[in-house]
Amino acid sequence: MCLGIPGQIVKITDVQRQMALVDVSGVQREVSLECVVDDYHPLARCVGHWVLVHVGFAMSLINEGEAEATLKVLRELGEVQAELTAMKESAPSPPANVPATALPELVAQR
């Protein structure tokens, strides 16, 4: 699955290569703005704007509301993942002396 993470453009780091420093939830990374820069939205106007970042590229411009909503969902997914991990860790283990291949038979016998 391809996932874009919202980040805010902090500063332009390389005009020639269209690179910028983007803050993604407190982590700053250099990303390419090549996909979002055009005549309507030149490089000079990018600082302060929100973008979806994927594998080192700003893939699209988004507004602050979209960025906040996406970050909220990603945080919730992280919490869900933590819950799933906790559930998996708390599941009972199969008996140590029963081979894994015998488990379906034991379940069927119940």
Side-chain angles (χ1 to χ4, degrees), residues 1-5 52-59:
M1 176 192 329
C2 296
L3 190 64
I5 307 290
L52 283 179
V53 178
H54 177 66
V55 293
F57 288 87
M59 301 305 292

Side-chain angles (χ1 to χ4, degrees), residues 30-95:
E30 190 174 44
V31 301
S32 172
L33 299 182
E34 188 173 345
C35 295
V36 298
V37 172
D38 57 23
D39 291 338
Y40 176 74
H41 197 269
L43 193 64
R45 289 186 46 209
C46 288
V47 174
H49 287 256
W50 288 86
V51 291
L52 283 179
V53 178
H54 177 66
V55 293
F57 288 87
M59 301 305 292
S60 64
L61 291 165
I62 59 174
N63 65 43
E64 187 173 359
E66 290 173 300
E68 289 174 3
T70 302
L71 288 169
K72 180 181 180 219
V73 168
L74 292 173
R75 282 187 210 101
E76 289 171 356
L77 286 174
E79 291 176 13
V80 168
Q81 185 59 43
E83 288 295 322
L84 291 173
T85 300
M87 286 174 60
K88 186 176 180 181
E89 291 174 351
S90 66
S93 300

